[in-house]
Amino acid sequence: MTQRSLENIIRSYPSSDGDGVKIRRLALFNQRDADPFLMLDELVSDDEADYMGGFPPHPHRGMETLTYLRKGALIHKDHMGNRGEIRSGGAQWMSAGRGIIHSEMPELDQGGLHGFQLWINLPAKDKMSAPDYRDVPQSEIPVVALNTGGEVRVLAGDWQIEGQQVTGPLDKLAASASYLDVSLTESETLTLPVTSGKRAIVYVYKGQLATGQSLPEKPLLIYSTQGEELVFKAESDANFLVLTGDPILEPVAHYGPFVMNTHEEIEQAIKDYNSGQFGR
């Protein structure tokens, strides 16, 4: 099989969101070679002051979020009366569709917070669909122990991992998106078959992968869409997310928590929210 090549390296940067929550952000709204992925935030701190303000009620339209916690806890509440919890090792998928107002507030759980929120674009035909969400506890997420010491957590998608067929529990992601959390030991190699034409991006949140290039701190690696396998080798103990999905190939209009196809649709989303018609 043909190995995919590394085509682009994107630098993540420190930022904040919500009520002063410190994050590390990759904004990909204008990054066409990352389509269908729109944004990836890493939330990581052992200092409560960095995250306990949380994310008070705010709206979304036209996209999905997938929140995954390695450590800590977040409580989700929304305007439809839903309440859900994400705790250490668990995940939550939410499709905003035509509109949802929700909050995500931290709780102390094992001390500290470390997690990720991924935004996935919705195609135009689904942007005004009904909102939906699902909580997945750690116990439902398969973990594959690798032969040479690492492991792979399978959140979404169908994967062949060292001869094992493994399917993640989150099966309704837009753009047929798939999601892995991989840990490799120093000098360990992992080969993952992927379907040619699918987007593949990788966020290295700890350690270093061997790429033949100098990498910034916590980079996003964007691979070619041609080829049938991704090959990773750890220069040091490394942790990284592997995300794949089908490119949507549509215009992206973005304003704050709204992601549509045109500026007129963004203006309508703002009007709907301000008039109290949001999500109806």
Side-chain angles (χ1 to χ4, degrees):
M1 291 192 292
T2 305
Q3 181 177 331
R4 293 203 182 191
S5 60
L6 176 60
E7 291 201 333
N8 200 359
I9 300 168
I10 308 296
R11 184 184 299 270
S12 63
Y13 58 93
S15 186
S16 65
D17 207 336
D19 187 11
V21 178
K22 292 185 179 180
I23 60 176
R24 194 162 190 101
R25 171 159 288 175
L26 286 148
L28 305 170
F29 301 98
N30 298 315
Q31 197 73 41
R32 300 302 291 170
D33 57 2
D35 175 20
F37 304 111
L38 299 167
M39 188 167 72
L40 179 64
D41 287 345
E42 181 181 12
L43 303 81
V44 55
S45 180
D46 292 323
D47 184 349
E48 295 175 26
D50 289 343
Y51 62 84
M52 283 307 290
F55 304 90
H58 58 281
H60 287 290
R61 174 178 280 181
M63 36 68 75
E64 296 184 346
T65 63
L66 197 164
T67 306
Y68 164 55
L69 292 185
R70 290 181 58 86
K71 181 172 70 172
L74 287 171
I75 307 301
H76 161 101
K77 295 180 182 179
D78 64 44
H79 79 286
M80 299 182 296
N82 297 313
R83 182 187 187 279
E85 297 183 0
I86 317 170
R87 296 197 173 272
S88 298
Q92 182 195 76
W93 163 80
M94 183 188 76
S95 182
R98 61 177 173 261
I100 196 166
I101 302 169
H102 78 145
S103 62
E104 299 161 290
M105 302 303 293
E107 283 194 349
L108 295 180
D109 180 8
Q110 299 184 10
L113 182 69
H114 186 202
F116 308 88
Q117 185 170 94
L118 173 69
W119 287 23
I120 308 169
N121 199 12
L122 281 169
K125 66 182 181 63
D126 296 329
K127 284 188 179 294
M128 297 301 286
S129 59
D132 196 4
Y133 91 103
R134 179 184 173 189
D135 294 325
V136 177
Q138 179 182 19
S139 60
E140 294 183 18
I141 296 175
V143 181
V144 179
L146 302 178
N147 295 329
T148 48
E151 67 175 26
V152 180
R153 297 179 181 273
V154 184
L155 281 76
D158 296 316
W159 297 88
Q160 281 278 349
I161 303 173
E162 292 191 342
Q164 299 183 55
Q165 179 68 40
V166 188
T167 299
L170 290 163
D171 57 2
K172 294 174 66 176
L173 273 60
S176 300
S178 299
Y179 193 124
L180 299 178
D181 180 17
V182 180
S183 301
L184 296 183
T185 59
E186 183 176 355
S187 299
E188 187 175 11
T189 299
L190 174 66
T191 299
L192 294 173
V194 289
T195 302
S196 183
K198 272 191 173 290
R199 183 77 63 207
I201 66 175
V202 172
Y203 177 57
V204 185
Y205 64 90
K206 182 180 179 182
Q208 292 284 336
L209 293 179
T211 64
Q213 302 184 47
S214 177
L215 300 179
E217 181 183 3
K218 298 192 174 188
L220 184 78
L221 312 179
I222 299 179
Y223 288 83
S224 63
T225 53
Q226 300 306 308
E228 297 81 33
E229 62 182 21
L230 293 164
V231 180
F232 306 106
K233 182 177 181 180
E235 285 191 347
S236 61
D237 290 356
N239 296 75
F240 53 98
L241 306 180
V242 180
L243 311 172
T244 70
D246 297 328
I248 294 174
L249 305 176
E250 294 177 354
V252 174
H254 163 241
Y255 179 79
F258 308 134
V259 184
M260 303 301 289
N261 296 105
T262 68
H263 293 296
E264 291 77 15
E265 290 170 335
I266 291 291
E267 291 172 359
Q268 186 63 52
I270 295 169
K271 180 180 178 181
D272 291 346
Y273 178 63
N274 289 336
S275 66
Q277 299 300 309
F278 202 72
R280 295 185 181 181

